[in-house]
Amino acid sequence: MQPFRFVMAIVCSLPACGAALPCQGCHPKEVKGYSHYSMAHSLGEAEHVPSGSFQNDVGIKFATYLDDAGTWQRIEDAGEVSTYRVEYVIGSGKHGFGFLVHIGGHLFQSPIGYYTGRHAYGMAPGYEKGVAADFTRPVTEECLLCHSGKPLHIAGTVAGYETPAFAREAISCERCHGPTEEHLKRPVPGSIVNPAKLGAAARDSVCEQCHLSGIARVPNPGKNIEDFWPGMPLEDVFSVYISPSDSIGGLRVISHSEQLRASACARNSGGKLWCGTCHDLHNKPTAPVAYYRNRCLSCHAGKLARTHPSTKTDCVSCHMPRRPTTDGAHTVFTDHRIRRRPRPESASSDVGAAAEPELIAWREPDPKLAARNLALAYIKAGSEHSLPPWIVKGYRMLSEVQAEFQSDPAIFTAFGGVLLLGNQLQEAKIAFDRALALDPSDAINEENA
């Protein structure tokens, strides 16, 4: 197996378009510091990835290999062989990475991934059971917004992208600091977003845009997830819904914000504790044990210094242990619940175990949208987790507010989906046709109709 050497575009340095972002000129220390974080290496071209092969539980054979023409992946299933050229590698390699192919102007995800901890290939998340193990999963813009710098998505399509597909491959400074244009015209404090100086909701939203998936995300009418920019609260664009029940989702890769909010540290901080309290993306600590101990001592200096006198005490390994996740196949992530006495816990999650758990808003949206967004969340989450009571509940709630949103295609798309599940085909067609009439440029509406 070849050594893992993954060359990425350094953030604010050499984007795919060839034009360097100007951040490094004035902020070389911050850019260099950020370049050591995984976020700065979130996506890049498929170069120097390991070769390897394996067979999954249902007998499908996979292989990854390199030649002069690039990186290739081969699938052999019941004598049928397919070969695809890999265009991009997604993920920093800290835990693992996946693969994207660019076919006919569209991006699709490979069904296999490479897991760094095991130094081996395996099925990508969602493909573990070998279901539809082919390059058929479209890569949406919403997915890439948290894994790349600037995807060049073609509006109205599900997975259509320009060639090349990215203006900037790795996550750039703009993801946390917002657009740079005004700051370049007037490079003074206040002309660009400093998350630490924002109000709590907007401050936390900077991190939550990618580190809070919740059970469902529901865009406001006329909005898309990609309309969010640092400096605004998420709820200006979309609402996130969570379930207080551990039976929904379990410990997930993208649930850091939920975990932190559940911690006694956050609950007792009066809103002062946030991601930036411990994480400085401009300065990766060279001695993490000492660094994070000092962060803990900033609040717990008295008693903690007496009960944990050793300067070598590793607070994180005891109180924020690494645990397996329900949605990140073969990986473990740091548990941000900061428990005083962490208990053994598996990643398994039985969605149907709870007696009809509830959904709640992470932060409530505009009151005019509260019932609409919650109803759509129940329908979306109920469909994804096979919870019929949620689907029925969402449908009833949506029916009560339908008259207020007659020009909202999302309402009719949701109605159509529920009616289709209930085998009410004619009624579903009416709803889908209405959604298409309201937004004829949307590929999903066209496909549904």
Side-chain angles (χ1 to χ4, degrees):
M1 181 176 293
Q2 298 179 5
F4 177 63
R5 183 172 66 86
F6 191 19
V7 180
M8 286 289 190
I10 297 298
V11 65
C12 293
S13 179
L14 293 175
C17 62
L21 283 174
C23 309
Q24 189 168 351
C26 296
H27 306 283
K29 181 181 177 181
E30 288 79 5
V31 171
K32 182 178 180 180
Y34 177 62
S35 72
H36 296 298
Y37 277 92
S38 300
M39 285 173 57
H41 307 277
S42 57
L43 185 141
E45 296 180 3
E47 299 176 343
H48 310 290
V49 301
S51 296
S53 61
F54 75 100
Q55 180 172 306
N56 73 359
D57 294 341
V58 296
I60 304 175
K61 298 178 180 178
F62 303 89
T64 301
Y65 60 93
L66 289 72
D67 62 21
D68 292 340
T71 300
W72 302 84
Q73 290 189 335
R74 183 176 184 268
I75 301 177
E76 182 178 346
D77 183 8
E80 296 288 335
V81 177
S82 302
T83 302
Y84 300 87
R85 185 180 186 278
V86 177
E87 195 80 17
Y88 299 100
V89 174
I90 187 167
S92 67
K94 181 178 180 181
H95 300 284
F97 50 89
F99 305 91
L100 307 181
V101 297
H102 204 185
I103 303 174
H106 294 74
L107 287 178
F108 296 91
Q109 181 188 352
S110 167
I112 67 173
Y114 184 82
Y115 296 94
T116 309
R118 300 189 301 124
H119 302 289
Y121 281 93
M123 301 307 296
Y127 286 106
E128 293 89 343
K129 297 181 180 180
V131 179
D134 207 336
F135 288 77
T136 55
R137 180 185 287 176
V139 180
T140 65
E141 183 181 20
E142 181 178 350
C143 170
L144 291 177
L145 287 172
C146 289
H147 287 282
S148 66
K150 188 174 182 180
L152 299 176
H153 179 252
I154 299 173
T157 69
V158 176
Y161 296 85
E162 298 178 15
T163 303
F166 302 92
R168 288 188 289 279
E169 291 175 354
I171 295 171
S172 73
C173 309
E174 290 185 335
R175 186 55 47 81
C176 296
H177 296 287
T180 60
E181 288 81 0
E182 187 61 32
H183 188 60
L184 293 175
K185 296 176 184 176
R186 195 170 58 92
V188 297
S191 64
I192 199 165
V193 172
N194 180 345
K197 294 184 180 300
L198 297 172
R203 176 199 68 192
D204 295 345
S205 291
V206 173
C207 304
E208 291 165 358
Q209 62 176 308
C210 290
H211 293 274
L212 173 69
S213 60
I215 303 300
R217 287 182 163 196
V218 178
N220 295 339
K223 297 288 187 179
N224 296 304
I225 300 295
E226 58 270 21
D227 292 331
F228 173 82
W229 277 104
M232 60 175 69
L234 291 182
E235 292 69 31
D236 283 359
V237 178
F238 61 92
S239 301
V240 180
Y241 292 88
I242 63 172
S243 172
S245 169
D246 287 338
S247 67
I248 302 294
L251 184 69
R252 288 165 289 122
V253 173
I254 312 300
S255 59
H256 308 91
S257 296
E258 291 178 62
Q259 297 163 32
L260 185 62
R261 178 188 276 189
S263 71
C265 293
R267 296 197 310 270
N268 296 328
S269 73
K272 294 180 180 179
L273 181 69
W274 70 295
C275 305
T277 303
C278 298
H279 295 288
D280 178 2
L281 293 184
H282 298 142
N283 181 25
K284 189 170 185 178
T286 56
V289 171
Y291 173 83
Y292 289 114
R293 173 180 166 81
N294 286 334
R295 300 314 301 146
C296 294
L297 287 173
S298 67
C299 293
H300 302 283
K303 184 176 181 180
L304 187 62
R306 296 192 300 272
T307 58
H308 299 69
S310 173
T311 58
K312 296 182 180 180
T313 299
D314 185 353
C315 305
V316 172
S317 66
C318 285
H319 300 284
M320 300 175 67
R322 294 165 65 81
R323 300 187 185 280
T325 59
T326 60
D327 59 347
H330 312 297
T331 55
V332 292
F333 282 78
T334 301
D335 185 344
H336 280 68
R337 287 173 287 191
I338 321 178
R339 288 174 166 169
R340 184 177 183 183
R341 293 184 178 87
R343 58 180 182 269
E345 181 177 12
S346 70
S348 62
S349 173
D350 181 4
V351 172
E356 196 176 338
E358 299 294 313
L359 285 178
I360 61 173
W362 178 253
R363 282 186 299 268
E364 287 291 346
D366 185 316
K368 296 178 181 178
L369 301 176
R372 171 209 183 260
N373 289 6
L374 181 59
L376 290 174
Y378 269 116
I379 292 172
K380 181 178 181 181
S383 300
E384 291 178 355
H385 292 285
S386 300
L387 285 173
W390 275 13
I391 299 173
V392 172
K393 183 172 185 175
Y395 184 85
R396 289 173 176 168
M397 291 176 61
L398 206 58
S399 299
E400 294 176 0
V401 298
Q402 174 188 355
E404 302 172 32
F405 299 96
Q406 286 299 305
S407 299
D408 186 351
I411 298 290
F412 295 95
T413 297
F415 276 140
V418 176
L419 292 166
L420 194 60
L421 287 173
N423 203 33
Q424 303 295 315
L425 303 186
Q426 188 58 37
E427 290 82 356
K429 183 179 185 304
I430 294 172
F432 285 143
D433 283 342
R434 175 62 175 160
L436 181 60
L438 290 169
D439 189 1
S441 65
D442 187 272
I444 293 293
N445 291 339
E446 185 174 0
E447 180 185 8
N448 287 338

